[in-house]
Amino acid sequence: MEENTFDPDLIRAIFKLVWEKRSAERERHQLSENEAEAGPSTTKRSRLLTVNGNALKLSCELLRVFVAEAIQRAAAIAEAEGSLKIEATHLERILPQLLLDF
Amino acid sequence: MDDDDEFDWEAAVHEIDVACQATAATVVPTNSYCKQDIFGNVDEEMRKKGKFDAISSAPSTRQTTLDRFMGAPSCNSRKFEEKAEISCGQQRMGGSIGESICQETEKLNEFVKIDAEAAKTWIYPVSVNVPVRDYQLSITRTALFANTLVALPTGLGKTLIAAVVMYNFFRWFPEGKIVFAAPSRPLVLQQIEACHKIVGIPQVWSIDLTGQKSPSRRAEFWKCKRVFFVTPQVLEKDIQSGSCLVKNLVCLVIDEAHRASGNYSYCVAVRELMDAPTQLRILALTATPGSNQKTIQHVIDNLQISTLEYRNESDWDVQPYVHDRKIELIQVSMGDEAIDIDSLLLEVGRPYHAQLCLFGLLPKRDIKTLSPCDFLRSKETFCKKPPASVPLSRHGEFMGYFAALVTLHHLRKLLSSHGIRPAFEMLDEKLKKGWFARMLGRNEVILKAKLIMQKTISHGAPSPKLTKMLEVLTEHFKVKNPKNSRVIIFSNFRGSVRDILDALKHIGESVKATEFIGQSSGKNSKGQSQKIQQAVLEKFRTGGYNVIVATSIAEEGLDIMEVDLVICFDANISPLRMIQRMGRTGRNQEGRVDILFFLSVAFACRSYFSLVLACEGAELRGYKQKQANGKTISKHMIHGGTKSFNFHPSPRMVPHFLKPELQFLEMSIEEFVPCGSKAKDSEPIPVPAYMDKITDAEKDLLAKYFFATQEDAWRPSLIAFPHFQAYPSPANGVLHSSRTQLLIDTMQDLQDLPYSHDRRPSAEDDVVPDPCLRVSKVEPHDNVKEDSERYTDPAEEESNREAEESGRELQVTVKDVQSEDSHKPKTLLHTFLFASEFVSVDSVGNVLVLSLPQVPLDSSSKRMESRNMASLDLSIQERMDCTEIPLQPIENHPLHQRATEETVHEFSVGDLFSEDAKKFDEAKEILHSPVSSRMQNEMDISDQDLIDIYLSPRLTNLIKSGVVPESPINDYGTSKGNRADDLACEHDKKEDINGSSGEMDIPCLNDNGIRTTPLDCNTVAVGACSSPVPVTKELRTPVTKLSDTSSSKDWIPDCGVQPKSVEQPFKFRRLRKLGDCNRKVPTESRNSTGAGRKYVSRRVDHHKSTKLLKGEKKQAKGGAAYIEEEAEVSSDAMASDDEEDVQEDSSFEDSFIDDGLNPTTSNTQAGSTRVDMMAIYRRSLLSQSPFPRPPSFPTNHSPDSVVQSSKMDGSGSSTGTGRDDAPQAGIESTARNNKDTCNGVPTEMLESRTDSRKRKLSLHQAHSLPMLNLDREFSLLSAAAHENSTAHETMEETVDIFEDDDFYEGIDLDALEEEATKLFKKKTECSTEKIVGSSEIKEQNLGIFDAPSFDLGF
C-alpha cells in the first residue's frame, strides 16, 4: 500500500454520494411499486451511509490502482497514436479489458 | 403686485400654449408613426389613440379650467398662477408621456421583432395520425389574431389549438416569449409533452417552470428560454418579481381558463401583463367556461378576451370527433338505516329551525329544502343586522343554532352521498368537543342517530353505493381487459376515498387500485406530494394501476387515453366539475361515465356511458338542476357569445399588411425527452465550491464529460473498439485476468483472426517488447545505411539519400494526414491509432516508420518477431532504394541478408514468393473477390472515415512490402544479371500484395468495412513488394501537391498541363531509368507516349480533343445519355468496346464542358449541353474518371496509335487492375480512377462497383495466364505495371492529402485529373512496352475477357 493514495475523506464523500443517489433511486422505485397507500417517506432509514475505516483505506488503494492502471493503459494507447493527451477514445479502447482485470 | 400678476398671467398663458402645441405635435406624429409603423397594428393603434386622446384631452380640460379662472375675477392670482403652473407641468408631463409611449412602441417593436418572412404563413401541422379537424383549424385561425376564449368539450383537442398558436407565434417572433399556463404541475408536465408532440417546438427552447424551481433559477430560464410551461402561481410571482421578461411576451395560453375568477393567479398575471406596455396574444382554453353568464363574463373580463369560440358536443363540426361517451345514472337506494338516521338528524335540527323561523331569520320552509347556503346567508344577515326582536342576550344562542344547522346539514349530505361511515366519523368528531358537543352532546335524538350509525357500521354492512360501485367495476372488468382498461373513481371526500379503496381491496386480482389525492394532510390521512401524484399517474398510464380513486384533483386536464370508465361517487357537484370529470374518459375511444346516485331511477343522457352514484332526492335533484344550468349556459355561448358577453379589444399582433397564409406542414418531431429527473430539478444546483479552485481548462474538461446535458453527456462505451479487445492491451501494474483472456479469445474467435493464438502473449511479453523493438529498429536502420554505404557507388549513395529524403517526405505527408485526422477525434477509428503509430515512428527514422505499428499490434511480439521487425525495417529501406534505383545490385545484398533472416517468419506468403507465379495468380484470384467486396464496404463508409482508414492500410501495405519482399529480394540477389527475372519477381511481389490485401480484406469484410489495423498487422505476413510504390508515391506527393495547388484552383488548362509534363519526367526519372533499362523501347512506343501526352494536354485543353472526336466519331450523346451509358457500361461486366468508346466520348465531352468555363476553349458543340453537364461532369469525375480510358483517343489517331492504344488499354487495365486491386483498392477508392473500369470514389453506384469487381476479376484471370506462359513479356509487363502502380500510388497519396473533409471540392478533382493524366502517360508508356513484348499474350489473355478492346486494336 502506498502512502500516496486517495484522500479517504474524498472517497468517503464519493461513496456517500453514490449511496444516497442509489437509495433515492430505490426509494422512488419502491414508491412507484407499492405506492401511495404507504405514503411518502416510507423507507428513509434503510440507507447505508457509513464505512469501516479499514474498508475505506482499502477502497482508496483499490481505486488508486484502478485509476493509475487506466491512465497508464490509456496513455500507452495515446502515445502510440502520437497524441499528447489522453482522450476519451483512448480510454474506451482499454476499458473493457481493464474492467475485466479488476 | 398687480403688475407682477399681469406678467405672470401672460407668461402662464404663453407657457400653456407652448405646452399644448408641443403635446399636439407629439401626439400627431406618434399617431402617424403608428400608422406608418410596419409592426403596428390597428388594434394597438386604437388603444394608443385612446390613450393619446386621454392625454391630450387632459390639458384641454385643464385649459378650460384655466379659462374659467381667467374669466373669473380673482383676487387670489397667486393661487391661480400656481395652478396654471401645475397644469403646465401636467401638460408637459402629458407630452412626455406621449413621447414615452411613442418610445415604448418603438421599444416594443424592438423587443419582439416579427419575422416578416415567417409571418407570411401560419403553419398547421398535419400528420397521418392526426387528421385535420375543421373546428380546430378555424378556432386556431381565430385565435391567432385575437384574444380568444376557446370553450371546447373535453377531449377534443384544445391542446392542439394551443400548441399550434404557440408554434406560430414561436415562428413569427423569433425573440418573443411564449407562456403556457396550466393550473397544476402534473398538467404542466403533461402539456409540455403534448405540445411537443403536436408541433415539435424544440426542447431547447421550452422549459417547464413550476414552484419546484427556485426563483433564481426561474429568472435564468426566463432569460434564456422562449417557451414556458408554467403554473399560474409561478407566472404571477415572476411577473411581480420582474424576473419574467414581460416585454418579450407575445403569447399567453391559459389552460383551464374557467379558473380565472376573483384573484386567482391567472387574473393577477393577466392584469399585470395588461398594465405592461406590451401587446400579447391571450388564448384561454376551457371545457367549462362557467356555469352562468355572469361567471363567463368574469372570465372574459379577467382575461381580456375578444372572441369566444364555443363548440358544443352536438355541433356539426365537432360531432364526428366526439367519442361515444355514455353517461349512466345509477341510482342506489340509501338503505333503511341511512334513511332513519337522516330523519333523525332532521329531527335534531327541527327545533333550532323552528326557533330561527320564529324570529324570521330563516325562510319558513321545510327544513329539508334548505341548503347550507340558506343557513349561511341568513347567518350573515343576522350578524350584520340582528333584528330588533331578538334580544342581545340570545345572539350567541342563535349563532349556535345556525352553526348546528349547518353541521347537521353537512352530516346529512355526507350521509346521503357517501354513506354512514363518513357521517358517523364526522359526528363522532363533532360530539367529542367544541360547541357542538356542548349544545347537542346530550341531545337524545342525535345520540340515537349515532347509535344507529354505530350499529350499522359494526354490522359491517357496506354502503349500498359502495356495493353498487363494486358491482359496476367487476362488470366492467369482465367486459374489458383489466390490463388495457382504466377507471377513475371520483369522490369529493377523502374519507370516502379511503372507504372505496378499502372496498376495492376485496374485489380481486384484476383491480389494482390506488388513491390520488391532494397534497394537504388531514387528520386521518396524509396527502400525496406532487411527486407521488406524478408517480401514481405514471403507473396508472403504464398499467401498474388500473383504478385510481381520486378527489377533485384528478378532474382537470389529465389526459389518460385509456380511461374508459369514470365513476362519480358523488353527483352533487357543479356541472362544471361534472363535465371535467366526464372529460377524463372517451378521449380517444369510447368510454363511459357512471354516476352513482343514491336513488332509484336510471336514465341515460348524451351518447355515452356514465355512472353516478347518487343519493336520495336531494342529490339527484341537485344533479338534474345543474345539468339544466349547463344547458342554459350553452345558449349564451351560441354565436360566439356576442349577444351575451362584452368583449375586449385585443391586438392583432401581426401587422395588417402581413396576411399569414395557412400552410399545412408535416412536422418532423424529435423524440420528446422528459426533462431530467424531477428530483434534481427540485433542488437548485448550487455552484460547487470547487469551481473556484480549478482552472478554466479543467472546467471545460468537467463540462465536457460530466455536466453536459443529458443527451450528449459522454458515456464511455465498452463496445466502441471491438478490435482492440481482440488483443490484450498493454498492461502495467495490473496484469490481465483470466476473464480478460477469455474476452480476448472470444473476440479473436468472433473476428476470425487467423494468427490470433500466436499473438497472445504473456503479460511479460507485453511489457517487454517496446524497448526491444526500439533497439532492433534502430539497429537495422543503421545496418542498412552501412550496407548501402558499403556496397554502393557514390551515385548509389545519392540514390540512398534520395530514398531517405523520400522517406522523410513520406513522414511529412503522413503527418499531414495524421494531423488532419487528429482534429476529428470522433471519427477516430482503431486503425487510426496504428496509423499514427506509424507516423510517430516515422518521425524517428525515415523508413522505419512502418515497423512500429506492429509492435503494439503484435502484442505477442517476441524477440524473434522484433528481430523480424527490424528486418522489415531494413527491407523497407531496401525497398525504398529499390524503387529509386531498382536495378542496383548493391541493394540486393542487404536485402539478401534480410531475407535470410526473415525466412524465420512463419509467413507462408514469403514462401509463396519463391514458388510459381501460378500459385500467386491463383491466390490473387481467390483473394480478389474479397478485395473488391471490401472495396465496396469501404466505399459505403463515408469519405472522411475512409480517408482515415485509408492511411493505415497503405501503411500496412508498406509493412507487408517490407515483410514479404525477402523472397523477391533474394531473387534479386541471386539473379542479378537477369533483369527480366527481377522484374518478374517484382511483379510477383505485386501480386502478392494483391494476395495480402485479399487476406486483409477478409477480416475487414467482417467488420462491415471498417478496417482495423490489428487485422492488417496480422496480414503483415502476406507482404508484397509494393514498397517501391509507396516510396515513389511519397516522393512524388509533395511535388504533385505543389503543382496541384498551383494549377488546381485556377484550372487553366495550359498551366495545369505544363507543370505536369515537367514534373512527370522529373519525378519518374528513376523509374524510367528502370523502365528504360528493362525494355527495348520501340519508336512506336515513343510515339504512343507522345500521343498520350498530347492526349493529356488535349484533355486538359479539351478543344483539341473535341475536334478530334468530331472528326472521327459522332458527337457523343448528351450528358444524360452519358450517365445512362455509364450505368449500363458499369453494370455490364463485359462491356463492349463500342460502348466504352461511347462512354469515353461522352466523358470527354463532359470534360470539355467543364473546360467550357475556360476562355480558351472553343468547343461549340459541347457548349450546348454545357450548363447541365457541369454537375454531371463532376460526378463523372468522381464516379468514373474519363482519363484512364486512353483507347478511344488513340482510335482517333493513326491506325498505329489505335493499336497501341488498344493494347495500352488492355495492358493498362489488366496490369493496373491486377496490381491496383491489392493495396490501393482498399487504400483508396479514388485510386480507382486510374482503372478503366473501376470507379474509385465512394459516391459511385453499387452496380458500377460490382461491375468493376467483375471486370477486375476477369482481367486478373486474363492476366495470370500470360505470366505463366511468357516470363519475359511478363516481366516487361510487370515493369509497366510497376510504373503504373507508382502512378497510382502517387495519385492516391495526393488525393489522400487533399481529400479530407472537402473531398468533393474542385481542388481535389483537379488534382485527381492531373494525376490521372500523369497516370495515363505512364500507362501509355507501359502499354508501349507491352505492345512490343507481350502483344501476343495480351491477345490471348485479354481476348478472353476484354475481347472488344482487342478487336479494336487489331
Side-chain angles (χ1 to χ4, degrees), chain A residues 21 24-25 27-42 62 64-83 85-102, chain B residues 501 505 513-515 526-529 531-532 535-536 539 545 677 679 704-705 714-721 724-737 739-740 743-744 818 825 828-830 832-834 836-838 840 856:
Chain A
K21 260 189 194 166
E25 230 164 65
E27 195 173 298
R28 210 178 312 137
H29 218 65
Q30 279 177 356
L31 208 118
S32 42
E33 291 271 305
N34 55 13
E35 224 318 300
E37 302 99 287
S41 72
T42 40
L62 177 69
R64 188 192 65 77
V65 172
F66 180 79
V67 170
E69 183 66 20
I71 287 171
Q72 276 168 336
R73 289 190 191 184
I77 301 284
E79 204 177 13
E81 210 171 82
S83 164
K85 212 190 219 172
I86 297 176
E87 296 283 354
T89 51
H90 302 142
L91 190 64
E92 275 178 338
R93 271 167 239 196
I94 53 107
L95 197 56
Q97 293 184 16
L98 180 74
L99 291 181
L100 283 175
D101 288 343
F102 275 88
Chain B
L501 267 182
K505 271 179 193 159
T514 186
E515 63 181 345
K526 270 187 178 165
Q528 281 177 321
S529 72
K531 217 157 123 192
I532 299 173
V536 169
K539 281 209 91 179
Y545 298 120
S677 69
K704 188 174 172 191
Y705 292 116
W714 182 81
R715 317 211 65 185
S717 162
L718 288 175
I719 56 168
F721 299 96
F724 274 80
Q725 309 321 323
Y727 299 95
S729 55
N732 287 290
V734 182
L735 303 182
H736 289 300
S737 66
R739 282 173 300 174
T740 306
L743 171 75
I744 292 165
Q818 190 208 2
L828 270 184
L829 299 176
H830 358 262
F832 179 61
L833 165 75
F834 292 88
S836 58
E837 277 179 14
F838 284 73
S840 63

Side-chain angles (χ1 to χ4, degrees), chain B residues 812-838:
Chain B
V812 175
T813 52
V814 175
K815 267 181 193 164
D816 285 351
V817 178
Q818 190 208 2
S819 63
E820 279 170 11
D821 287 346
S822 63
H823 286 305
K824 8 170 172 137
K826 274 227 165 183
T827 56
L828 270 184
L829 299 176
H830 358 262
T831 53
F832 179 61
L833 165 75
F834 292 88
S836 58
E837 277 179 14
F838 284 73

Side-chain angles (χ1 to χ4, degrees), chain B residues 18 119 192 202 295 331 362 497 526 533 541 680 947 993 1004 1032 1084 1123 1320:
Chain B
V18 170
I192 192 172
T295 53
Q331 305 189 2
L362 274 179
V497 167
K526 270 187 178 165
Q533 287 173 12
R541 240 176 271 248
K680 222 201 286 169
I947 294 156
I993 294 170
C1004 292
T1032 44
E1084 286 167 334
I1123 290 172
F1320 171 69

